[in-house]
Amino acid sequence: MTTNERKYTPDHEWITVDGDIATIGITAYAADRLGDVVFIELPEAGADVAGGTVVGEIESTKSVGELFAPVDGTVIEVNTAAIDEPAIVNRDPLGDGWLIRVRFTALPDLLDADQYAALVSR
């Protein structure tokens, strides 16, 4: 995976990689399906996460969604702006609405943009 090439999970998270740091957020599809995001709960910096496990919650006016860790590693940064102003996830889910940064130990197989587009078009 080249630096900052966006990849996706079947659980509707996106990931970009810079060295051994993964920036993770939810996709525009997920943000749209959730509706207006009103609350976000994320792990604290320093927390260890395991790929495929729930690491946070995203609450909207419609439902509560879970955030899954796509990688094993340690959270090194949390987007406090998203916690303080959850609507940022709706406005810019692929940019300023990122959620956590994780120093990871290995990358799993992830979906590319075409594979993710095919997944959500079913």
Side-chain angles (χ1 to χ4, degrees):
M1 187 159 127
T2 58
T3 300
N4 292 328
E5 177 185 356
R6 195 175 313 276
K7 294 289 189 171
Y8 303 87
T9 73
D11 296 313
H12 308 290
E13 284 92 21
W14 59 262
I15 179 174
T16 59
V17 172
D18 187 3
D20 65 348
I21 306 298
T23 300
I24 300 161
I26 65 167
T27 64
Y29 176 86
D32 182 58
R33 293 284 183 225
L34 279 169
D36 295 333
V37 176
V38 295
F39 177 77
I40 298 173
E41 179 180 294
L42 298 172
E44 293 184 17
D48 290 330
V49 296
T53 63
V54 175
V55 295
E57 287 188 352
I58 302 168
E59 184 177 330
S60 73
T61 55
K62 292 182 183 178
S63 66
V64 176
E66 296 175 324
L67 176 67
F68 293 89
V71 296
D72 294 340
T74 303
V75 176
I76 61 164
E77 187 177 0
V78 174
N79 187 353
T80 56
I83 293 170
D84 293 343
E85 186 189 351
I88 196 171
V89 172
N90 294 110
R91 284 195 312 272
D92 192 12
L94 303 179
D96 290 339
W98 66 273
L99 298 173
I100 58 175
R101 290 199 169 108
V102 176
R103 177 168 282 115
F104 63 89
T105 53
L107 278 178
D109 288 331
L110 298 165
L111 305 174
D112 65 23
D114 291 338
Q115 292 168 318
Y116 184 73
L119 174 75
V120 298
S121 69
R122 294 182 194 165

